[in-house]
Amino acid sequence: MKVAFLVAPEGVEQVELTDPWQAVRDAGGTPRLVSTKPGRIQAFNHLDKADTFEVDQVVKDATVEEYDALVLPGGVANPDFLRLDEAAVAFARGFFGAGKPVAAICHAPWTLVEADVVRGRTLTSWPSLRTDITNAGGTWVDEQVKVCTGGPNTLITSRKPDDLKAFREAFLEEFAKTTKGSAR
């Protein structure tokens, strides 16, 4: 299982990156950090700078075909930066077109709103995204984790860091289903 973690050069909520990343590794998968620029990304603990992490691949050089799934960590600034980058938005959209699972937590669905892939889908997020998701044609629910299979792929979403346990359990289950059917 090779999983892309798409993040901006700064603004990702550290625990929403590191917790799912470790879950993928613990499940025997290969997480890869994909960003809009090479080098290191700056993670945050809410509004305070936290650790930096080495980028494995620049999104403009990445293809959906290389990966089995996509994880979009949150943080307020992270998805706001990503939704302004055409290559990042196209990369996220590509997982939907390819029928591959996507997991997004907290503010991360902003990138999916920009990619125009929430229409007709049911998802959760940080509460402040409710109007954006609804205006983009999605149905917002206030649930710890929401697994939506009503589209071309499976979409797993959660609201906040307190939901990480349920989030990782749900996405690992869905990712495992996908990779069982692949040639990898």
Side-chain angles (χ1 to χ4, degrees), residues 70-81:
L70 173 66
V71 173
L72 295 167
V76 178
N78 178 52
D80 199 42
F81 287 131

Side-chain angles (χ1 to χ4, degrees), residues 7-68:
V7 298
E10 64 179 328
V12 69
E13 185 70 26
Q14 182 160 314
V15 71
E16 293 174 4
L17 170 64
T18 58
D19 184 278
W21 182 283
Q22 190 60 49
V24 168
R25 293 190 75 187
D26 290 349
T30 304
R32 302 257 304 152
L33 193 61
V34 180
S35 189
T36 58
K37 294 181 181 173
R40 298 186 74 78
I41 63 111
Q42 175 67 62
F44 280 74
N45 291 325
H46 190 54
L47 299 175
D48 298 321
K49 285 186 176 182
D51 298 324
T52 63
F53 299 90
E54 186 69 33
V55 171
D56 293 311
Q57 188 173 29
V58 176
V59 71
K60 68 179 179 58
D61 300 328
T63 65
V64 172
E65 295 74 27
E66 295 174 68
Y67 296 97
D68 296 306

Side-chain angles (χ1 to χ4, degrees), residues 104-159:
I105 188 167
C106 203
H107 289 80
W110 263 340
T111 305
L112 302 178
V113 166
E114 189 66 32
D116 194 24
V117 293
V118 301
R119 188 173 318 284
R121 305 303 294 267
T122 301
L123 60 155
T124 193
S125 68
W126 185 254
S128 66
L129 276 68
R130 178 183 188 158
T131 300
D132 299 319
I133 289 167
T134 302
N135 287 344
T139 300
W140 186 87
V141 295
D142 184 10
E143 297 177 13
Q144 187 177 41
V145 66
K146 179 63 184 171
V147 178
C148 178
T149 56
N153 68 333
T154 300
L155 175 60
I156 305 101
T157 53
S158 282
R159 303 170 299 191

